[in-house]
Amino acid sequence: MTGSTTEAMPGGFGEADRAAARMHLDALWARGRAFLGTELAILGGAMSWVSEHRLVSAISNAGGFGVIACGAMSPELLEREIAATQAMTAKPFGVNLITMHPQLDELIGVCTRAGVGHVVLAGGVPSGAAVRTIKDGGAKVVGFAPALVMAKRLIKLGADALVIEGSEAGGHIGPVSLTVLAQEVLPNIRDVPVFVAGGLGRGDSILAMLEMGAAGAQLGTRFAASAESIAHERFKQAFVRAAARDALPSVQLDERFPVIPVRGLVNDGTRRFMVHQAETVRRFQAGELTREAAQLEIEHFWAGSLRRAVIDGDIEGGSVMAGQSVGMVTRVQPIPEILDELLEQALQSLMLRNAMTRTVAASGTH
């Protein structure tokens, strides 16, 4: 027993232990919960072809914060996607917009007219005008900060909150791990809530980040393999089978031809990409291709590959984007179960720590 006078619960702790742990946890992520308007300060990462109205509404309805991945959507398609999400949930959710989208202004207008409360800007440094337009429309702005200097710059531009995403994440990644990024940013940014992302798959890890000063966490990989995700069953089962070491970033063969690093499961496509790069470089050196043409050849290799993997289930030739937390995906689970599991892991960690503290105090050990 842990000293609680209430009936024991799973894990050997009592109701009073759980209540104390939940109070502690809620205090740790109070700022994140208030910013998002949610029960849990957990965001769903915006994943192209995956983060659409069904997954987004499921995350929000279960107490988290779903985020629509606009990606390359047209304003008309985004408008329909927002309406479909609003038809499935009355809870808060956000929209992720790519700053380089040629119709960014129109997309912002769609979000404003639909009453979207949070707009996440990704894919580059947003303009001050874009940030002001979003805020003037009544929404809060969330920006991605890959370094402390960028965090400070985004705050000056008017960002209301930040996401710092480590290289452990799936999809397009930066060069720094969350372990390092959190140490660099969290102690130095207090003006706005900072959410952490990249490689997170357990509630106790989220708890550790909250105790470092994070306001909440963003997860993508575990939600991509959820029951509510529209991803093909073969895509989800690839996650279930994979280990953390199977999710690797794309490799750049020649520094003259940059490759944007993307983390995904190694498959036949990733191996063929290496061969394709080598052949393209050979053709360039032989004078068969200009430098610009060679760069396009390399960039076009993956065109449409994410859709082929997610929607069509081509897990060998497509791009199976996944974070290193994929090793913690052991089965396809409903969203509420995933969120309950994350919450329970955080609470169990707190209850165990509290019990150990009481034991030490009772023994008189210092």
Side-chain angles (χ1 to χ4, degrees), residues 155-241:
I155 292 171
K156 286 183 179 179
L157 283 172
D160 300 296
L162 302 173
V163 175
I164 57 172
E165 184 174 70
S167 58
E168 304 95 328
H172 295 88
I173 57 172
V176 182
S177 73
L178 179 59
T179 306
V180 174
L181 201 54
Q183 295 177 77
E184 179 184 78
V185 176
L186 293 179
N188 295 298
I189 298 295
R190 301 295 185 190
D191 299 349
V192 301
V194 180
F195 297 88
V196 292
L200 297 174
R202 287 184 55 89
D204 35 21
S205 292
I206 294 173
L207 172 64
M209 288 293 171
L210 293 174
E211 291 180 324
M212 285 183 66
Q218 175 183 288
L219 281 72
T221 299
R222 290 204 61 186
F223 293 144
S226 68
E228 292 85 349
S229 165
I230 64 165
H232 197 284
E233 190 59 29
R234 284 197 292 270
F235 185 89
K236 296 180 186 180
Q237 288 305 316
F239 278 39
V240 172
R241 292 192 299 270

Side-chain angles (χ1 to χ4, degrees), residues 19-33 39-41 210 343 347 350:
R22 184 59 190 263
M23 188 179 300
H24 187 170
L25 178 62
D26 284 346
L28 285 172
W29 63 12
R31 194 180 190 188
R33 292 176 63 209
E39 179 188 351
L40 310 173
L210 293 174
L343 177 62
L347 294 178
L350 281 169

Side-chain angles (χ1 to χ4, degrees), residues 248-254 257-262 270 273-274 277 298 302:
L248 298 177
S250 51
V251 177
Q252 176 178 298
L253 208 57
D254 191 307
F257 301 101
V259 170
I260 299 173
V262 174
T270 57
F273 182 50
M274 295 294 290
Q277 285 187 78
I298 291 172
W302 290 112

Side-chain angles (χ1 to χ4, degrees), residues 267-287:
N267 60 9
D268 184 58
T270 57
R271 289 184 283 271
R272 284 192 293 107
F273 182 50
M274 295 294 290
V275 174
H276 177 74
Q277 285 187 78
E279 175 61 14
T280 302
V281 171
R282 184 200 65 75
R283 292 173 64 196
F284 166 71
Q285 292 173 332

